[in-house]
mmCIF file of all heavy atoms in Angstrom:
data_model
loop_
_atom_site.group_PDB
_atom_site.id
_atom_site.type_symbol
_atom_site.label_atom_id
_atom_site.label_comp_id
_atom_site.label_asym_id
_atom_site.label_seq_id
_atom_site.Cartn_x
_atom_site.Cartn_y
_atom_site.Cartn_z
ATOM 1 N N LYS A 1 119.776 56.062 126.669
ATOM 2 C CA LYS A 1 120.224 57.364 127.245
ATOM 3 C C LYS A 1 121.062 58.225 126.284
ATOM 4 O O LYS A 1 120.886 59.445 126.127
ATOM 5 C CB LYS A 1 120.984 57.228 128.560
ATOM 6 C CG LYS A 1 121.328 58.491 129.310
ATOM 7 C CD LYS A 1 121.950 58.304 130.582
ATOM 8 C CE LYS A 1 122.350 59.491 131.242
ATOM 9 N NZ LYS A 1 122.962 59.383 132.530
ATOM 10 N N SER A 2 122.078 57.608 125.667
ATOM 11 C CA SER A 2 122.950 58.384 124.761
ATOM 12 C C SER A 2 122.184 58.940 123.565
ATOM 13 O O SER A 2 122.460 60.009 123.025
ATOM 14 C CB SER A 2 124.191 57.572 124.359
ATOM 15 O OG SER A 2 123.957 56.832 123.234
ATOM 16 N N ALA A 3 121.258 58.170 123.036
ATOM 17 C CA ALA A 3 120.425 58.650 121.963
ATOM 18 C C ALA A 3 119.537 59.841 122.369
ATOM 19 O O ALA A 3 119.383 60.774 121.554
ATOM 20 C CB ALA A 3 119.492 57.512 121.377
ATOM 21 N N ARG A 4 118.996 59.767 123.591
ATOM 22 C CA ARG A 4 118.202 60.957 124.047
ATOM 23 C C ARG A 4 119.123 62.171 124.222
ATOM 24 O O ARG A 4 118.625 63.285 123.935
ATOM 25 C CB ARG A 4 117.595 60.528 125.469
ATOM 26 C CG ARG A 4 116.358 59.686 125.277
ATOM 27 C CD ARG A 4 115.579 59.638 126.610
ATOM 28 N NE ARG A 4 116.382 59.220 127.655
ATOM 29 C CZ ARG A 4 116.441 57.983 128.055
ATOM 30 N NH1 ARG A 4 115.776 57.000 127.471
ATOM 31 N NH2 ARG A 4 117.148 57.554 129.118
ATOM 32 N N GLN A 5 120.370 62.030 124.615
ATOM 33 C CA GLN A 5 121.162 63.238 124.777
ATOM 34 C C GLN A 5 121.521 63.891 123.443
ATOM 35 O O GLN A 5 121.887 65.078 123.438
ATOM 36 C CB GLN A 5 122.434 62.791 125.506
ATOM 37 C CG GLN A 5 122.174 62.372 126.953
ATOM 38 C CD GLN A 5 123.422 61.818 127.606
ATOM 39 O OE1 GLN A 5 124.328 61.407 126.945
ATOM 40 N NE2 GLN A 5 123.459 61.750 128.901
ATOM 41 N N ARG A 6 121.536 63.133 122.343
ATOM 42 C CA ARG A 6 121.863 63.664 121.028
ATOM 43 C C ARG A 6 120.668 64.127 120.175
ATOM 44 O O ARG A 6 120.775 64.276 118.968
ATOM 45 C CB ARG A 6 122.781 62.652 120.340
ATOM 46 C CG ARG A 6 124.079 62.463 120.920
ATOM 47 C CD ARG A 6 124.820 61.499 120.167
ATOM 48 N NE ARG A 6 124.260 60.192 120.629
ATOM 49 C CZ ARG A 6 124.512 58.995 120.087
ATOM 50 N NH1 ARG A 6 125.399 58.978 119.106
ATOM 51 N NH2 ARG A 6 123.985 57.888 120.489
ATOM 52 N N ARG A 7 119.495 64.265 120.737
ATOM 53 C CA ARG A 7 118.313 64.582 119.993
ATOM 54 C C ARG A 7 118.401 65.907 119.384
ATOM 55 O O ARG A 7 118.907 66.828 119.935
ATOM 56 C CB ARG A 7 117.108 64.507 120.884
ATOM 57 C CG ARG A 7 116.739 63.007 121.306
ATOM 58 C CD ARG A 7 115.637 63.034 122.158
ATOM 59 N NE ARG A 7 114.349 63.238 121.371
ATOM 60 C CZ ARG A 7 113.193 63.114 121.825
ATOM 61 N NH1 ARG A 7 112.928 62.963 123.114
ATOM 62 N NH2 ARG A 7 112.155 63.325 121.029
ATOM 63 N N VAL A 8 117.864 66.061 118.198
ATOM 64 C CA VAL A 8 117.896 67.359 117.518
ATOM 65 C C VAL A 8 117.007 68.311 118.376
ATOM 66 O O VAL A 8 115.787 67.975 118.650
ATOM 67 C CB VAL A 8 117.392 67.284 116.017
ATOM 68 C CG1 VAL A 8 117.243 68.625 115.399
ATOM 69 C CG2 VAL A 8 118.314 66.379 115.273
ATOM 70 N N LYS A 9 117.450 69.540 118.633
ATOM 71 C CA LYS A 9 116.647 70.468 119.422
ATOM 72 C C LYS A 9 116.170 71.603 118.524
ATOM 73 O O LYS A 9 115.354 72.425 118.976
ATOM 74 C CB LYS A 9 117.518 70.993 120.554
ATOM 75 C CG LYS A 9 117.937 69.880 121.479
ATOM 76 C CD LYS A 9 118.749 70.410 122.651
ATOM 77 C CE LYS A 9 118.983 69.309 123.642
ATOM 78 N NZ LYS A 9 120.160 69.397 124.403
ATOM 79 N N GLY A 10 116.619 71.653 117.349
ATOM 80 C CA GLY A 10 116.179 72.793 116.462
ATOM 81 C C GLY A 10 117.060 72.771 115.141
ATOM 82 O O GLY A 10 118.079 72.206 115.102
ATOM 83 N N LEU A 11 116.508 73.445 114.166
ATOM 84 C CA LEU A 11 117.268 73.640 112.926
ATOM 85 C C LEU A 11 117.650 75.117 112.909
ATOM 86 O O LEU A 11 116.840 76.021 113.089
ATOM 87 C CB LEU A 11 116.356 73.351 111.762
ATOM 88 C CG LEU A 11 115.960 71.821 111.531
ATOM 89 C CD1 LEU A 11 114.945 71.736 110.398
ATOM 90 C CD2 LEU A 11 117.141 70.995 111.339
ATOM 91 N N GLY A 12 118.902 75.277 112.478
ATOM 92 C CA GLY A 12 119.435 76.681 112.398
ATOM 93 C C GLY A 12 119.109 77.312 111.048
ATOM 94 O O GLY A 12 118.697 78.442 110.998
ATOM 95 N N ASP A 13 119.316 76.606 110.018
ATOM 96 C CA ASP A 13 119.059 77.157 108.694
ATOM 97 C C ASP A 13 118.470 76.041 107.733
ATOM 98 O O ASP A 13 118.884 74.926 107.806
ATOM 99 C CB ASP A 13 120.383 77.531 107.981
ATOM 100 C CG ASP A 13 121.117 78.576 108.876
ATOM 101 O OD1 ASP A 13 120.528 79.756 108.952
ATOM 102 O OD2 ASP A 13 122.225 78.360 109.375
ATOM 103 N N VAL A 14 117.547 76.643 106.888
ATOM 104 C CA VAL A 14 116.899 75.731 105.859
ATOM 105 C C VAL A 14 117.099 76.583 104.585
ATOM 106 O O VAL A 14 116.758 77.777 104.568
ATOM 107 C CB VAL A 14 115.446 75.526 106.151
ATOM 108 C CG1 VAL A 14 114.821 74.754 105.007
ATOM 109 C CG2 VAL A 14 115.321 74.659 107.409
ATOM 110 N N SER A 15 117.589 75.962 103.497
ATOM 111 C CA SER A 15 117.841 76.688 102.272
ATOM 112 C C SER A 15 116.981 75.996 101.178
ATOM 113 O O SER A 15 116.902 74.704 101.124
ATOM 114 C CB SER A 15 119.242 76.652 101.830
ATOM 115 O OG SER A 15 120.067 77.301 102.799
ATOM 116 N N ILE A 16 116.314 76.756 100.331
ATOM 117 C CA ILE A 16 115.433 76.182 99.254
ATOM 118 C C ILE A 16 115.657 76.971 98.010
ATOM 119 O O ILE A 16 115.851 78.168 97.958
ATOM 120 C CB ILE A 16 113.943 76.354 99.612
ATOM 121 C CG1 ILE A 16 113.640 75.688 100.924
ATOM 122 C CG2 ILE A 16 113.044 75.838 98.535
ATOM 123 C CD1 ILE A 16 112.248 75.976 101.440
ATOM 124 N N ARG A 17 115.876 76.284 96.907
ATOM 125 C CA ARG A 17 116.010 76.898 95.526
ATOM 126 C C ARG A 17 114.585 77.065 95.029
ATOM 127 O O ARG A 17 113.696 76.251 95.015
ATOM 128 C CB ARG A 17 116.796 76.050 94.632
ATOM 129 C CG ARG A 17 118.267 75.936 95.033
ATOM 130 C CD ARG A 17 119.040 74.984 94.247
ATOM 131 N NE ARG A 17 119.122 75.552 92.859
ATOM 132 C CZ ARG A 17 119.360 74.785 91.737
ATOM 133 N NH1 ARG A 17 119.441 73.519 91.856
ATOM 134 N NH2 ARG A 17 119.364 75.336 90.609
ATOM 135 N N VAL A 18 114.270 78.298 94.547
ATOM 136 C CA VAL A 18 112.938 78.643 94.056
ATOM 137 C C VAL A 18 112.958 79.227 92.619
ATOM 138 O O VAL A 18 113.998 79.770 92.239
ATOM 139 C CB VAL A 18 112.226 79.623 94.994
ATOM 140 C CG1 VAL A 18 112.028 79.035 96.426
ATOM 141 C CG2 VAL A 18 113.009 80.870 95.062
ATOM 142 N N ARG A 19 111.877 79.112 91.930
ATOM 143 C CA ARG A 19 111.889 79.526 90.499
ATOM 144 C C ARG A 19 111.524 81.060 90.486
ATOM 145 O O ARG A 19 111.814 81.759 89.536
ATOM 146 C CB ARG A 19 110.857 78.813 89.608
ATOM 147 C CG ARG A 19 111.411 77.407 89.461
ATOM 148 C CD ARG A 19 110.536 76.654 88.549
ATOM 149 N NE ARG A 19 111.053 75.243 88.382
ATOM 150 C CZ ARG A 19 110.448 74.341 87.816
ATOM 151 N NH1 ARG A 19 109.316 74.533 87.243
ATOM 152 N NH2 ARG A 19 111.060 73.129 87.711
ATOM 153 N N ASP A 20 110.655 81.525 91.390
ATOM 154 C CA ASP A 20 110.255 82.953 91.387
ATOM 155 C C ASP A 20 110.571 83.575 92.752
ATOM 156 O O ASP A 20 109.754 83.711 93.640
ATOM 157 C CB ASP A 20 108.700 83.056 91.120
ATOM 158 C CG ASP A 20 108.254 84.471 90.911
ATOM 159 O OD1 ASP A 20 109.011 85.458 91.171
ATOM 160 O OD2 ASP A 20 107.204 84.627 90.343
ATOM 161 N N LEU A 21 111.895 83.958 92.827
ATOM 162 C CA LEU A 21 112.304 84.583 94.136
ATOM 163 C C LEU A 21 111.519 85.795 94.554
ATOM 164 O O LEU A 21 111.215 85.941 95.710
ATOM 165 C CB LEU A 21 113.902 84.880 94.003
ATOM 166 C CG LEU A 21 114.498 85.463 95.291
ATOM 167 C CD1 LEU A 21 114.530 84.499 96.334
ATOM 168 C CD2 LEU A 21 115.935 85.928 94.890
ATOM 169 N N HIS A 22 111.249 86.633 93.607
ATOM 170 C CA HIS A 22 110.438 87.943 93.903
ATOM 171 C C HIS A 22 109.109 87.551 94.501
ATOM 172 O O HIS A 22 108.738 88.192 95.557
ATOM 173 C CB HIS A 22 110.207 88.727 92.621
ATOM 174 C CG HIS A 22 109.437 89.963 92.899
ATOM 175 N ND1 HIS A 22 109.946 91.092 93.578
ATOM 176 C CD2 HIS A 22 108.208 90.247 92.509
ATOM 177 C CE1 HIS A 22 108.934 91.941 93.613
ATOM 178 N NE2 HIS A 22 107.852 91.430 92.981
ATOM 179 N N ALA A 23 108.449 86.625 93.964
ATOM 180 C CA ALA A 23 107.044 86.225 94.467
ATOM 181 C C ALA A 23 107.192 85.675 95.880
ATOM 182 O O ALA A 23 106.461 86.002 96.825
ATOM 183 C CB ALA A 23 106.336 85.265 93.602
ATOM 184 N N LEU A 24 108.185 84.736 96.155
ATOM 185 C CA LEU A 24 108.333 84.169 97.483
ATOM 186 C C LEU A 24 108.839 85.172 98.468
ATOM 187 O O LEU A 24 108.452 85.151 99.588
ATOM 188 C CB LEU A 24 109.374 83.007 97.389
ATOM 189 C CG LEU A 24 108.684 81.603 97.000
ATOM 190 C CD1 LEU A 24 107.921 80.980 98.209
ATOM 191 C CD2 LEU A 24 107.974 81.576 95.785
ATOM 192 N N HIS A 25 109.674 86.055 98.050
ATOM 193 C CA HIS A 25 110.234 87.149 98.926
ATOM 194 C C HIS A 25 109.009 87.936 99.426
ATOM 195 O O HIS A 25 108.855 88.210 100.598
ATOM 196 C CB HIS A 25 111.205 88.072 98.151
ATOM 197 C CG HIS A 25 111.777 89.188 98.926
ATOM 198 N ND1 HIS A 25 112.746 89.930 98.433
ATOM 199 C CD2 HIS A 25 111.509 89.601 100.156
ATOM 200 C CE1 HIS A 25 113.050 90.806 99.349
ATOM 201 N NE2 HIS A 25 112.366 90.678 100.458
ATOM 202 N N LYS A 26 108.211 88.341 98.471
ATOM 203 C CA LYS A 26 106.934 89.195 98.789
ATOM 204 C C LYS A 26 106.099 88.430 99.714
ATOM 205 O O LYS A 26 105.546 88.954 100.663
ATOM 206 C CB LYS A 26 106.305 89.574 97.543
ATOM 207 C CG LYS A 26 105.159 90.493 97.713
ATOM 208 C CD LYS A 26 104.616 90.900 96.405
ATOM 209 C CE LYS A 26 103.348 91.772 96.580
ATOM 210 N NZ LYS A 26 102.791 92.264 95.367
ATOM 211 N N PHE A 27 105.817 87.090 99.463
ATOM 212 C CA PHE A 27 105.036 86.262 100.295
ATOM 213 C C PHE A 27 105.446 86.185 101.694
ATOM 214 O O PHE A 27 104.707 86.415 102.655
ATOM 215 C CB PHE A 27 104.863 84.872 99.677
ATOM 216 C CG PHE A 27 104.137 83.835 100.594
ATOM 217 C CD1 PHE A 27 102.775 83.888 100.632
ATOM 218 C CD2 PHE A 27 104.829 82.965 101.311
ATOM 219 C CE1 PHE A 27 102.037 82.925 101.370
ATOM 220 C CE2 PHE A 27 104.135 82.060 102.128
ATOM 221 C CZ PHE A 27 102.741 82.050 102.125
ATOM 222 N N TYR A 28 106.791 85.847 101.931
ATOM 223 C CA TYR A 28 107.248 85.705 103.286
ATOM 224 C C TYR A 28 107.286 87.054 104.026
ATOM 225 O O TYR A 28 107.097 87.067 105.304
ATOM 226 C CB TYR A 28 108.723 85.069 103.297
ATOM 227 C CG TYR A 28 108.543 83.567 103.187
ATOM 228 C CD1 TYR A 28 108.674 82.958 102.072
ATOM 229 C CD2 TYR A 28 108.310 82.847 104.379
ATOM 230 C CE1 TYR A 28 108.542 81.497 101.977
ATOM 231 C CE2 TYR A 28 108.189 81.494 104.329
ATOM 232 C CZ TYR A 28 108.346 80.804 103.102
ATOM 233 O OH TYR A 28 108.200 79.515 103.040
ATOM 234 N N GLU A 29 107.483 88.184 103.361
ATOM 235 C CA GLU A 29 107.471 89.507 104.070
ATOM 236 C C GLU A 29 106.033 89.944 104.349
ATOM 237 O O GLU A 29 105.773 90.403 105.467
ATOM 238 C CB GLU A 29 108.078 90.527 103.206
ATOM 239 C CG GLU A 29 109.694 90.586 103.323
ATOM 240 C CD GLU A 29 110.273 91.741 102.784
ATOM 241 O OE1 GLU A 29 109.693 92.463 101.883
ATOM 242 O OE2 GLU A 29 111.413 92.019 103.191
ATOM 243 N N GLU A 30 105.154 89.845 103.342
ATOM 244 C CA GLU A 30 103.746 90.423 103.505
ATOM 245 C C GLU A 30 102.785 89.459 104.089
ATOM 246 O O GLU A 30 101.993 89.941 104.845
ATOM 247 C CB GLU A 30 103.310 90.940 102.122
ATOM 248 C CG GLU A 30 104.172 92.067 101.684
ATOM 249 C CD GLU A 30 103.700 92.504 100.244
ATOM 250 O OE1 GLU A 30 102.698 92.082 99.702
ATOM 251 O OE2 GLU A 30 104.483 93.350 99.734
ATOM 252 N N VAL A 31 102.815 88.223 103.809
ATOM 253 C CA VAL A 31 101.818 87.241 104.267
ATOM 254 C C VAL A 31 102.274 86.544 105.597
ATOM 255 O O VAL A 31 101.545 86.596 106.569
ATOM 256 C CB VAL A 31 101.451 86.225 103.197
ATOM 257 C CG1 VAL A 31 100.405 85.181 103.718
ATOM 258 C CG2 VAL A 31 100.908 86.910 101.938
ATOM 259 N N VAL A 32 103.521 85.979 105.505
ATOM 260 C CA VAL A 32 104.009 85.307 106.685
ATOM 261 C C VAL A 32 104.614 86.253 107.728
ATOM 262 O O VAL A 32 104.725 85.980 108.890
ATOM 263 C CB VAL A 32 105.120 84.258 106.270
ATOM 264 C CG1 VAL A 32 105.487 83.375 107.554
ATOM 265 C CG2 VAL A 32 104.437 83.356 105.167
ATOM 266 N N ARG A 33 104.824 87.503 107.282
ATOM 267 C CA ARG A 33 105.313 88.589 108.222
ATOM 268 C C ARG A 33 106.683 88.208 108.850
ATOM 269 O O ARG A 33 106.908 88.412 109.963
ATOM 270 C CB ARG A 33 104.303 88.955 109.285
ATOM 271 C CG ARG A 33 103.030 89.407 108.699
ATOM 272 C CD ARG A 33 103.010 90.863 108.751
ATOM 273 N NE ARG A 33 101.706 91.382 108.477
ATOM 274 C CZ ARG A 33 101.518 92.430 107.751
ATOM 275 N NH1 ARG A 33 102.522 93.119 107.228
ATOM 276 N NH2 ARG A 33 100.256 92.795 107.461
ATOM 277 N N ARG A 34 107.687 87.787 108.002
ATOM 278 C CA ARG A 34 108.995 87.397 108.408
ATOM 279 C C ARG A 34 109.900 88.594 108.013
ATOM 280 O O ARG A 34 109.751 89.181 107.008
ATOM 281 C CB ARG A 34 109.447 86.223 107.759
ATOM 282 C CG ARG A 34 108.688 84.950 108.270
ATOM 283 C CD ARG A 34 108.820 84.521 109.618
ATOM 284 N NE ARG A 34 107.862 85.215 110.452
ATOM 285 C CZ ARG A 34 107.899 85.459 111.749
ATOM 286 N NH1 ARG A 34 108.931 85.052 112.492
ATOM 287 N NH2 ARG A 34 107.024 86.063 112.414
ATOM 288 N N GLU A 35 110.882 88.813 108.842
ATOM 289 C CA GLU A 35 111.892 89.953 108.651
ATOM 290 C C GLU A 35 113.042 89.353 107.720
ATOM 291 O O GLU A 35 113.678 88.300 107.971
ATOM 292 C CB GLU A 35 112.509 90.260 109.988
ATOM 293 C CG GLU A 35 113.658 91.134 109.972
ATOM 294 C CD GLU A 35 114.390 91.325 111.291
ATOM 295 O OE1 GLU A 35 113.813 90.796 112.293
ATOM 296 O OE2 GLU A 35 115.351 92.026 111.379
ATOM 297 N N ALA A 36 113.311 90.090 106.673
ATOM 298 C CA ALA A 36 114.395 89.744 105.749
ATOM 299 C C ALA A 36 115.649 90.168 106.459
ATOM 300 O O ALA A 36 115.907 91.384 106.793
ATOM 301 C CB ALA A 36 114.272 90.413 104.364
ATOM 302 N N LEU A 37 116.603 89.182 106.671
ATOM 303 C CA LEU A 37 117.909 89.636 107.345
ATOM 304 C C LEU A 37 118.935 90.075 106.325
ATOM 305 O O LEU A 37 119.760 90.859 106.573
ATOM 306 C CB LEU A 37 118.426 88.384 108.141
ATOM 307 C CG LEU A 37 117.551 87.903 109.209
ATOM 308 C CD1 LEU A 37 118.108 86.626 109.817
ATOM 309 C CD2 LEU A 37 117.487 88.910 110.316
ATOM 310 N N SER A 38 118.796 89.416 105.116
ATOM 311 C CA SER A 38 119.815 89.669 104.069
ATOM 312 C C SER A 38 119.179 89.419 102.776
ATOM 313 O O SER A 38 118.398 88.493 102.610
ATOM 314 C CB SER A 38 121.087 88.850 104.286
ATOM 315 O OG SER A 38 122.079 89.080 103.246
ATOM 316 N N ARG A 39 119.640 90.218 101.724
ATOM 317 C CA ARG A 39 119.048 89.933 100.404
ATOM 318 C C ARG A 39 119.966 90.450 99.303
ATOM 319 O O ARG A 39 120.816 91.306 99.553
ATOM 320 C CB ARG A 39 117.633 90.501 100.262
ATOM 321 C CG ARG A 39 117.525 92.003 100.368
ATOM 322 C CD ARG A 39 116.128 92.408 100.214
ATOM 323 N NE ARG A 39 115.924 93.470 101.142
ATOM 324 C CZ ARG A 39 114.766 93.918 101.707
ATOM 325 N NH1 ARG A 39 113.731 93.199 101.393
ATOM 326 N NH2 ARG A 39 114.646 94.890 102.480
ATOM 327 N N ASP A 40 119.777 89.817 98.216
ATOM 328 C CA ASP A 40 120.504 90.127 96.955
ATOM 329 C C ASP A 40 119.562 89.816 95.866
ATOM 330 O O ASP A 40 118.595 89.365 95.991
ATOM 331 C CB ASP A 40 121.810 89.148 97.017
ATOM 332 C CG ASP A 40 122.851 89.558 95.932
ATOM 333 O OD1 ASP A 40 122.445 89.607 94.753
ATOM 334 O OD2 ASP A 40 124.010 89.751 96.208
ATOM 335 N N GLU A 41 120.028 90.053 94.564
ATOM 336 C CA GLU A 41 119.225 89.806 93.480
ATOM 337 C C GLU A 41 119.049 88.237 93.271
ATOM 338 O O GLU A 41 117.992 87.877 92.587
ATOM 339 C CB GLU A 41 119.759 90.396 92.182
ATOM 340 C CG GLU A 41 121.204 89.800 91.803
ATOM 341 C CD GLU A 41 121.784 90.571 90.634
ATOM 342 O OE1 GLU A 41 121.567 91.816 90.609
ATOM 343 O OE2 GLU A 41 122.514 89.964 89.887
ATOM 344 N N SER A 42 119.903 87.370 93.885
ATOM 345 C CA SER A 42 119.700 85.972 93.706
ATOM 346 C C SER A 42 119.363 85.174 95.036
ATOM 347 O O SER A 42 119.221 84.005 94.968
ATOM 348 C CB SER A 42 120.987 85.426 93.082
ATOM 349 O OG SER A 42 122.065 85.580 93.950
ATOM 350 N N PHE A 43 119.200 85.866 96.160
ATOM 351 C CA PHE A 43 118.845 85.207 97.349
ATOM 352 C C PHE A 43 118.191 86.142 98.368
ATOM 353 O O PHE A 43 118.416 87.412 98.235
ATOM 354 C CB PHE A 43 120.001 84.524 98.033
ATOM 355 C CG PHE A 43 121.064 85.459 98.673
ATOM 356 C CD1 PHE A 43 120.854 85.877 99.991
ATOM 357 C CD2 PHE A 43 122.105 85.987 97.965
ATOM 358 C CE1 PHE A 43 121.691 86.728 100.653
ATOM 359 C CE2 PHE A 43 122.949 86.934 98.568
ATOM 360 C CZ PHE A 43 122.723 87.273 99.942
ATOM 361 N N VAL A 44 117.499 85.645 99.356
ATOM 362 C CA VAL A 44 116.960 86.338 100.442
ATOM 363 C C VAL A 44 116.932 85.473 101.635
ATOM 364 O O VAL A 44 116.613 84.222 101.521
ATOM 365 C CB VAL A 44 115.599 86.958 100.173
ATOM 366 C CG1 VAL A 44 114.538 85.895 99.957
ATOM 367 C CG2 VAL A 44 115.162 87.854 101.271
ATOM 368 N N VAL A 45 117.295 85.927 102.869
ATOM 369 C CA VAL A 45 117.417 85.209 104.047
ATOM 370 C C VAL A 45 116.326 85.745 105.070
ATOM 371 O O VAL A 45 116.418 87.026 105.296
ATOM 372 C CB VAL A 45 118.805 85.149 104.658
ATOM 373 C CG1 VAL A 45 118.737 84.300 105.961
ATOM 374 C CG2 VAL A 45 119.796 84.520 103.692
ATOM 375 N N PHE A 46 115.466 84.888 105.602
ATOM 376 C CA PHE A 46 114.514 85.432 106.483
ATOM 377 C C PHE A 46 114.723 84.822 107.929
ATOM 378 O O PHE A 46 115.170 83.663 108.003
ATOM 379 C CB PHE A 46 113.089 84.964 106.165
ATOM 380 C CG PHE A 46 112.570 85.618 104.896
ATOM 381 C CD1 PHE A 46 112.751 84.956 103.708
ATOM 382 C CD2 PHE A 46 112.030 86.927 104.944
ATOM 383 C CE1 PHE A 46 112.239 85.530 102.517
ATOM 384 C CE2 PHE A 46 111.577 87.441 103.763
ATOM 385 C CZ PHE A 46 111.723 86.752 102.595
#
C-alpha cells in the first residue's frame, strides 16, 4: 500500500543538452507544435 501511494504521477521538467539548439527549437515549434515558454541564445523551454 505505501509503495502505491508514492507512485510517480508525472514528470514536471525534462532537460536535454543538444548540439544544434536552433534545429531542435525549430523542430519542436514547427513539427511537434509545442509552445516555447522561454528562450535565450543558449536554451529554450517548451
Side-chain angles (χ1 to χ4, degrees):
K1 184 178 178 181
S2 86
R4 282 194 302 266
Q5 291 173 341
R6 291 178 285 174
R7 293 179 74 176
V8 174
K9 296 181 177 152
L11 293 176
D13 300 294
V14 174
S15 299
I16 302 172
R17 292 177 65 205
V18 300
R19 291 187 182 171
D20 191 343
L21 182 62
H22 177 72
L24 271 286
H25 181 176
K26 186 175 178 179
F27 173 79
Y28 277 97
E29 277 192 340
E30 297 177 6
V31 177
V32 184
R33 300 263 187 220
R34 297 292 88 200
E35 170 190 358
L37 298 175
S38 180
R39 62 181 142 205
D40 187 306
E41 61 189 35
S42 63
F43 74 89
V44 61
V45 178
F46 293 97

